[in-house]
Amino acid sequence: MQKNKFDIGNIVFEPFKIKSVEPLPLTSAEERQKWIKSAGFNVFALKSNQVTIDLLTDSGTSAMSDRQWAEMIRADESYAGSRNFVELEETVQELTGMPYVIPVHQGRAAEHLLFSTLLKGGEIIPSNGHFDTTQANIEDCGASAVNLPIVEALDPFLEYPFKGNLCISKLEELLQEKEAQIPIVMLTITNNTGGGQPVSLENIEAVAKIAKKYKKLFIIDACRFAENSFFIKIREEGYADKTPKQIAQKIFSLCDAITFSGKKDAISNIGGLLCFRDQQLAEELKNRLIITEGFPTYGGLAGYSLAAMNQGLKEVLVEDYLSYRLRTVSWTAERLIESGIPVVRPAGGHAIYIEAAKFFDHISRQHLPGIALTTAMYELGGIRGCELGTVAFGKRDEKGEHIFPALDLVRLAFPRRVYTEAHMGYVVECIKHIYNSRASYSGFEFEQEYKVLRHFRSTFRRV
Ligand SMILES: *Cc1c(COP(=O)(O)O)cnc(C)c1O
């Protein structure tokens, strides 16, 4: 694994110093037991001041830089033609090579705008791995979202450099069978649902070639484009001498449109983008944007949020930042793996994923080992992770029996520039402690179960 050039031994070198601090909520075990119980054992229902280390998501939780805050104060809040839109548009055009840049309030708004314009119902949209909101937006238009990961991605413990790749032969097969139903081919970089795993440039090129051959729109969900670009630099032959920006530019040159959440690799607290090349589509989308998000030069955002994204997009491509970013995640994963804890390998770009059904191998999958683990981490250490297993991705058949997803994962997502090595060391120690006394933990079942995106609001009880 690539290390930061300031790495000495096994430390994580954070390439910044801290000039504004926020105290961490320090709570007692009794308080945490009471709070998680009244949250129905769903960590989404906890209040943030009840959480000490919050690894629920890396979305919108980044620490902004002094420069981002400075740009926010300087921002222009004009309704139309804001300077911050012009500056952001220039940055994004240069990065993506796409002439049309539409700001939106977050990634899913870009998805909604695009799919509700392009889809009529009955279509099939293949991808390496659709994110949950992408899938929900596609299904909301009456179309279906299909994931075509490579076989290597199905083995969570197999070391493979580009587990985010899309299976090219499965894509060709699907296109040969159902071409008329497929207007769009998608790629998510990095593949969030698949463990934050990167996609290689070779794979992106191959998908682009097939999309071109069949005359399909090729759309990249680019939420973590900078992390993916850095993985290409350090893992793919031929890119070691390229900058992350050059690699990102190459990626974007291969697709027709981009959906993007500024809450990820724009290191911002809110915002998103929709970028594309087609002028006619631009006209249509801008008109629809006015109905749902706002005028095309602000798209539902304040001028200061456009400013934060613009500056964040520059900082996120700095190599020292990216090297530190990926190292924090791999450092944590290495320590857990050393202790025998089943972590998805290799470590992803923004998160580590623990296989909860293997961690708690005495808890059957219908008793939700992922909820047992998120509860244990919170009760012991005030740590908030996110179940991405049976609760998030499972379903019920007609008889009400569980349909299990492939794995029962718990995700620990890393907010950008927020926690230090000491904080992650604390997280590692807590998880080790739970693992060493794992036999004393028991499972859960649904109390109140919601049908869609059920991890957000369902509640549970101990069995
Ligand atoms: C977060 C995310 C989205 C949705 O973006 P929001 O800003 O949360 O609406 C879409 N795709 C991927 C891969 C994401 O990680």
Side-chain angles (χ1 to χ4, degrees):
M1 182 67 204
Q2 158 98 8
K3 290 196 180 165
N4 188 293
K5 60 187 174 210
F6 292 102
D7 246 7
I8 299 162
N10 261 331
I11 61 148
V12 176
F13 188 90
E14 286 104 7
F16 47 80
K17 59 181 175 177
I18 298 164
K19 74 169 144 195
S20 178
V21 295
E22 177 185 333
L24 289 177
L26 301 179
T27 60
S28 70
E30 293 73 39
E31 286 174 323
R32 293 192 294 273
Q33 280 159 9
K34 187 181 78 193
W35 290 330
I36 191 71
K37 191 156 182 249
S38 53
F41 298 99
N42 184 336
V43 292
F44 278 95
L46 291 169
K47 298 185 180 72
S48 63
N49 64 4
Q50 299 168 340
V51 177
T52 304
I53 304 283
D54 202 348
L55 308 179
L56 186 68
T57 174
D58 66 322
S59 177
T61 52
S62 299
M64 289 202 292
S65 67
D66 53 354
R67 186 69 194 270
Q68 279 177 300
W69 283 109
E71 292 298 327
M72 285 175 75
I73 301 232
R74 291 184 59 244
D76 168 13
E77 299 300 342
S78 303
Y79 189 96
S82 158
R83 171 177 58 80
N84 298 104
F85 172 72
V86 177
E87 288 174 6
L88 176 65
E89 189 186 36
E90 269 176 24
T91 302
V92 176
Q93 283 170 338
E94 204 225 330
L95 179 63
T96 64
M98 305 236 172
Y100 303 106
V101 177
I102 290 182
V104 286
H105 80 273
Q106 61 183 90
R108 69 199 68 185
E111 293 166 352
H112 173 72
L113 196 64
L114 191 67
F115 296 138
S116 65
T117 305
L118 295 177
L119 304 181
K120 301 197 166 45
E123 295 93 343
I124 300 170
I125 317 293
S127 168
N128 55 336
H130 290 284
F131 183 62
D132 56 9
T133 63
T134 320
Q135 179 175 346
N137 268 298
I138 289 170
E139 289 172 354
D140 195 48
C141 297
S144 45
V146 176
N147 294 336
L148 305 174
I150 51 168
V151 289
E152 288 85 349
L154 304 179
D155 177 353
F157 307 112
L158 176 79
E159 289 276 353
Y160 187 81
F162 291 103
K163 273 179 145 176
N165 283 357
L166 180 146
C167 179
I168 300 296
S169 59
K170 281 190 216 145
L171 178 64
E172 282 250 50
E173 239 169 71
L174 188 68
L175 277 162
Q176 274 161 14
E177 259 173 53
K178 303 193 169 152
E179 192 190 339
Q181 276 174 274
I182 304 172
I184 296 168
V185 176
M186 284 194 79
L187 266 183
T188 311
I189 65 170
T190 57
N191 185 357
N192 186 357
T193 338
Q197 300 290 337
V199 182
S200 69
L201 244 169
E202 188 187 13
N203 194 252
I204 301 172
E205 280 172 329
V207 173
K209 201 167 150 200
I210 293 177
K212 201 164 189 180
K213 176 171 148 195
Y214 288 88
K215 298 194 173 61
K216 305 301 178 191
L217 212 56
F218 176 25
I219 301 175
I220 291 186
D221 174 341
C223 289
R224 297 179 183 81
F225 75 97
E227 290 166 13
N228 202 103
S229 299
F230 199 67
F231 274 123
I232 289 171
K233 181 181 167 78
I234 60 179
R235 290 188 186 168
E236 191 164 350
E237 219 187 301
Y239 296 98
D241 299 335
K242 301 272 184 262
T243 64
K245 184 173 167 185
Q246 286 169 329
I247 296 170
Q249 284 171 323
K250 169 126 198 221
I251 293 172
F252 292 139
S253 74
L254 295 164
C255 68
D256 302 304
I258 297 162
T259 55
F260 177 68
S261 167
K263 303 174 74 172
K264 321 287 170 53
D265 270 354
I267 324 187
S268 300
N269 302 127
I270 196 72
L273 294 167
L274 182 53
C275 316
F276 42 92
R277 302 181 195 280
D278 186 281
Q279 191 191 356
Q280 204 185 329
L281 186 60
E283 292 308 317
E284 204 174 329
L285 289 176
K286 283 184 185 176
N287 287 330
R288 287 180 56 89
L289 184 80
I290 295 175
I291 302 171
T292 57
E293 293 277 294
F295 192 69
T297 62
Y298 74 87
L301 293 167
Y304 58 71
S305 296
L306 300 171
M309 273 209 287
N310 181 42
Q311 179 59 26
L313 282 171
K314 295 174 182 166
E315 293 175 14
V316 80
L317 287 162
V318 173
E319 242 169 74
D320 287 337
Y321 160 75
L322 282 168
S323 159
Y324 139 79
R325 169 82 179 148
L326 300 193
R327 183 65 193 135
T328 322
V329 182
S330 63
W331 182 91
T332 309
E334 281 164 20
R335 259 129 217 97
L336 293 173
I337 291 166
E338 261 165 32
S339 306
I341 291 160
V343 174
V344 174
R345 291 183 213 184
H350 69 290
I352 55 174
Y353 295 70
I354 299 173
E355 203 338 23
K358 200 161 172 191
F359 187 102
F360 284 138
D361 58 7
H362 63 291
I363 299 177
S364 73
R365 297 191 69 194
Q366 74 189 34
H367 290 150
L368 312 175
I371 296 300
L373 185 54
T374 53
T375 302
M377 287 192 310
Y378 178 71
E379 286 186 338
L380 180 72
I383 300 159
R384 176 153 70 169
C386 177
E387 197 264 12
L388 290 178
T390 298
V391 176
F393 296 120
K395 287 186 180 147
R396 298 266 187 187
D397 65 14
E398 300 95 69
K399 290 190 203 128
E401 299 293 325
H402 283 291
I403 303 174
F404 296 108
L407 301 168
D408 261 302
L409 299 178
V410 166
R411 184 184 72 181
L412 305 180
F414 290 52
R416 292 167 184 76
R417 306 189 289 209
V418 171
Y419 296 115
T420 62
E421 184 193 298
H423 292 130
M424 296 323 297
Y426 167 78
V427 170
V428 168
E429 290 309 313
C430 287
I431 295 171
K432 272 161 65 176
H433 186 89
I434 297 165
Y435 190 64
N436 293 336
S437 54
R438 58 192 178 277
S440 64
Y441 291 88
S442 54
F444 286 80
E445 62 189 11
F446 279 99
E447 192 171 66
Q448 165 87 38
E449 180 177 342
Y450 290 94
K451 276 214 165 117
V452 261
L453 296 176
R454 54 185 187 172
H455 52 305
F456 287 115
R457 296 190 52 237
S458 295
T459 58
F460 309 95
R461 60 175 161 248
R462 286 187 205 272
V463 290

